[in-house]
Amino acid sequence: MTEDDLATRKMQFLYALRSKGVTDARVLGAMEEIDRGPFVRGLFAERAYEDMPLPIACGQTISQPSVVGLMTQALNVTPRDKVLEIGTGSGYQAAILAKLARRVYTIDRHRRLVREARDIFDELNLHTITAITADGSHGLADQAPFDRILVTAAAEDPPGPLLAQLKEGGIMVLPVGQSDAVQSLIRVHKTATGLEYDELRDVRFVPLLEGLGKD
Ligand code: SAH
């Protein structure tokens, strides 16, 4: 690919995001700054600038960029926020969050994905991200509470420990529903009087699984 081709593809990438409803200037800025290329390895690297989910290692997927944009926008991240992401995958979503937040913790159940994501964070000088191998459905008690929580794998219901680790005034965005069906992306607001839920759109994510992966 020539430099001109790459520039054209990146422009089309941002245009696709806008046309699918990603309109927040800070989110678009972060997505312009973080190149998706390095997060998509191997066979599919050529297709990094298409608005498509793509396969990554350990049988997982890097989410569709417009879905990443819409989820990030729904999370309404501010520069003071400490954010928890469940489902590091390629590390792409965490890198975008790092451009918007003060601190990002990201958890995946696959050791290999965490290791590879850490290498990219180092290469890109993203030193405010801590990537951890664990079962993220328990959250990260020793760093709680969090201003924002983003879950990028689908559970049937919002995991209790994550709701508990959300700060009052905090926001959590997550897909809920059966893994083999269309799921619903929801946003939870934690207020002084309880939890408020709103439904954002239909999505399809890999399931939130228990325990650690084999690799
Ligand atoms: N946010 C990622 C895409 C996530 S794909 C990106 O930007 O590329 C969903 C990820 O959730 C997978 O990597 C999968 O291993 C992880 N996952 C599934 N169940 C999990 C759990 N209980 N704890 C932590 N990670 C989990």
Side-chain angles (χ1 to χ4, degrees):
M1 214 190 303
T2 67
E3 290 223 343
D4 273 0
D5 285 345
L6 191 63
T8 307
R9 285 203 200 187
K10 285 186 176 174
M11 230 165 65
Q12 285 167 345
F13 177 81
L14 289 169
Y15 180 79
L17 293 177
R18 277 197 209 93
S19 71
K20 293 194 176 157
V22 185
T23 51
D24 182 301
R26 291 187 65 233
V27 174
L28 284 168
M31 294 186 78
E32 189 170 0
E33 253 183 282
I34 299 293
D35 187 344
R36 192 168 181 246
F39 296 92
V40 182
R41 294 174 185 238
L43 237 74
F44 292 94
E46 274 276 299
R47 308 183 62 178
Y49 308 107
E50 292 176 27
D51 190 27
M52 299 253 292
L54 294 171
I56 55 171
C58 305
Q60 304 302 314
T61 48
I62 176 171
S63 312
Q64 184 175 350
S66 57
V67 173
V68 170
L70 291 169
M71 287 176 87
T72 310
Q73 188 166 285
L75 205 59
N76 195 18
V77 181
T78 80
R80 290 186 308 276
D81 289 345
K82 180 161 76 169
V83 182
L84 175 65
E85 182 200 21
I86 309 302
T88 311
S90 67
Y92 179 61
Q93 171 75 74
I96 289 162
L97 291 170
K99 288 287 165 193
L100 302 168
R102 174 171 60 85
R103 200 80 182 73
V104 176
Y105 293 87
T106 181
I107 304 181
D108 205 286
R109 59 191 289 280
H110 286 286
R111 224 165 267 132
R112 173 175 169 193
L113 293 175
V114 168
R115 201 173 51 230
E116 291 182 355
R118 273 189 198 137
D119 288 345
I120 306 179
F121 300 152
D122 282 346
E123 276 163 34
L124 300 180
N125 288 317
L126 296 171
H127 300 304
T128 55
I129 309 176
T130 304
I132 298 159
T133 306
D135 178 347
S137 45
H138 306 298
L140 191 60
D142 60 351
Q143 295 297 337
F146 296 94
D147 302 288
R148 301 288 184 265
I149 300 179
L150 183 58
V151 187
T152 62
E156 291 201 14
D157 294 298
L162 297 183
L163 291 172
Q165 291 174 24
L166 188 62
K167 206 178 269 182
E168 192 180 305
I171 301 174
M172 171 152 85
V173 172
L174 75 164
V176 290
Q178 308 263 339
S179 60
D180 53 354
V182 172
Q183 305 134 6
S184 190
L185 186 66
I186 65 165
R187 176 168 49 195
V188 186
H189 269 111
K190 193 178 214 176
T191 69
T193 50
L195 300 168
E196 287 170 7
Y197 293 84
D198 60 306
E199 237 177 273
L200 305 175
R201 54 174 274 151
D202 288 348
V203 283
R204 238 175 206 287
F205 275 86
V206 298
L208 189 74
L209 298 173
E210 268 179 41
L212 293 188
K214 293 192 304 297
D215 53 355

